[in-house]
Structures are given as structure tokens and as C-alpha cells.
Amino acid sequence: QVQLVESGGGLVQAGGSLRVSCTASGRTFSRYTMGWFRQAPGKERDFVAGISWIGTRQYYQDSVKGRFTISRDNAKNTVYLLMNTLRPDDTAVYYCAASTFVSQSMTQHGYDYWGQGTQVTVSS
């Protein structure tokens, strides 16, 4: 069983930056593919960014490329999402997800554990 706890969400003005974090329980964090998803009100949950087991490969949704950076610290069982140049349409609940069975995925079906989410609100 893997438990994921997100933190770091909040309110930020457009153009600003925010970093959200996700800490995982367990001793095999370094074996998990990790991802971030987001869900805006009335919309589906969408993939944002993913990172491989040891962090050598990162991949992003097109709308966040060049603005967001995913990283991980396996010694701290933590994955981060640094969000720069935030826009109002980045407003959403951001979810951390872990996959124990795929090396890369941009869909919800590729992940088997989820956090509770953290709200990110970008004001205009």
C-alpha cells in the first residue's frame, strides 16, 4: 500500500510561481513512476507531468511545457512540481499519482495510487 500526501497549494497571482510537493509512504518510492494530474471544476482530470523512477526522464502536457518542472528526491520519498508563469487556466486541484507497474504513462489508467489533491488557484 502506498500513501501519497500533497502539500504546497495555494493562491497566487497570474505570472507567479508555486511549488507543490508529494510525499509517499513506503520504502520502494524509487521504483515508482510518478505523475501529476489536475482537475478543474466541471472538467476531467488531466495529465500534467510525469517522471521516471530515477528522474532521468520527464514528460509534460503541451500546455505546461517550458513553464512547469517535475522533479523527485528519492532520499526524501518526494516528488515536486514547480510551476512558473502561472495562468488563471492553471487553476485546479492538483493530484499526485504513483505507478507500480509502468515506466511511463500520461493517462490515469497507468497509475494505481493517488493523493487527496491540493488546490492551486491563480488569480488574474
Side-chain angles (χ1 to χ4, degrees), residues 65-82:
K65 284 181 181 177
R67 299 189 299 124
F68 290 12
T69 302
I70 188 171
S71 61
R72 68 190 296 163
D73 185 339
N74 287 343
K76 296 182 179 180
N77 279 15
T78 300
V79 61
Y80 306 96
L81 183 68
L82 174 61

Side-chain angles (χ1 to χ4, degrees), residues 7-120:
S7 61
L11 174 64
V12 62
Q13 288 188 333
S17 298
L18 199 63
R19 189 180 77 164
V20 291
S21 304
C22 171
T23 300
S25 64
R27 291 176 287 182
T28 57
F29 177 76
S30 62
R31 299 180 186 178
Y32 307 152
T33 295
M34 298 299 297
W36 285 97
F37 288 73
R38 66 185 181 187
Q39 187 168 20
K43 295 188 176 181
E44 295 185 351
R45 190 174 298 187
D46 291 331
F47 172 80
V48 176
I51 189 166
S52 60
W53 297 348
I54 58 174
T56 53
R57 183 171 68 248
Q58 304 91 37
Y59 41 101
Y60 301 91
Q61 178 199 99
D62 286 346
S63 69
V64 307
K65 284 181 181 177
R67 299 189 299 124
F68 290 12
T69 302
I70 188 171
S71 61
R72 68 190 296 163
D73 185 339
N74 287 343
K76 296 182 179 180
N77 279 15
T78 300
V79 61
Y80 306 96
L81 183 68
L82 174 61
M83 303 178 285
N84 293 322
T85 319
L86 282 161
R87 310 184 307 216
D89 61 357
D90 293 317
T91 296
V93 177
Y94 282 71
Y95 296 91
C96 168
S99 177
T100 62
F101 62 97
V102 298
S103 61
Q104 178 173 327
S105 179
M106 299 176 74
T107 71
Q108 294 186 56
H109 302 294
Y111 295 85
D112 44 349
Y113 294 100
W114 294 83
Q116 82 289 349
T118 186
Q119 177 70 47
V120 172

